């Protein structure tokens, strides 16, 4: 059973985390290239935010939102 867990360790350490080790070594040469994963997430998040704001503007311009003032029944 111990060999099974060592196999899982070898899989993660030697295979699946290899790209992150390469990025860690790249940081010594180029900081911007080493943080490419973070830059991609920032770009995807910014594009999603712009899309979401555009959709909100479309619904606001069509007056589809219920803007009536009412409180919850439990208040």
């Amino acid at each position: 059973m111990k060999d099974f867990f060592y196999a899982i360790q070898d899989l993660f350490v030697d295979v699946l985390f290899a790209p992150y080790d390469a990025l860690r070594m790249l940081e010594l040469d180029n900081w911007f290239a080493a943080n490419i994963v973070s830059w991609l997430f920032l770009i995807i998040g910014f594009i999603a935010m712009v899309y979401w704001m555009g959709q909100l503007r479309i619904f606001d311009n069509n007056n589809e939102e219920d803007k009536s003032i009412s409180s919850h029944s439990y208040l």
Side-chain angles (χ1 to χ4, degrees):
M1 194 65 177
K2 185 167 71 170
D3 292 335
F4 174 72
F5 289 109
Y6 281 127
I8 292 174
Q9 175 189 346
D10 289 339
L11 172 69
F12 277 91
V13 172
D14 297 333
V15 177
L16 298 179
F17 290 156
Y20 294 110
D21 289 336
L23 288 174
R24 186 182 63 191
M25 292 302 166
L26 180 63
E27 184 181 11
L28 300 174
D29 296 331
N30 190 347
W31 181 84
F32 287 101
N35 288 305
I36 191 72
V37 175
S38 299
W39 294 114
L40 289 175
F41 282 135
L42 282 171
I43 291 168
I44 290 169
F46 181 73
I47 291 170
M49 184 197 67
V50 169
Y51 173 76
W52 185 254
M53 290 296 134
Q55 292 297 314
L56 288 176
R57 178 175 290 177
I58 289 171
F59 283 101
D60 190 42
N61 289 340
N62 291 337
N63 293 324
E64 294 181 22
E65 183 179 356
D66 181 19
K67 294 184 180 180
S68 62
I69 299 173
S70 63
S71 64
H72 297 287
S73 63
Y74 56 84
L75 295 175

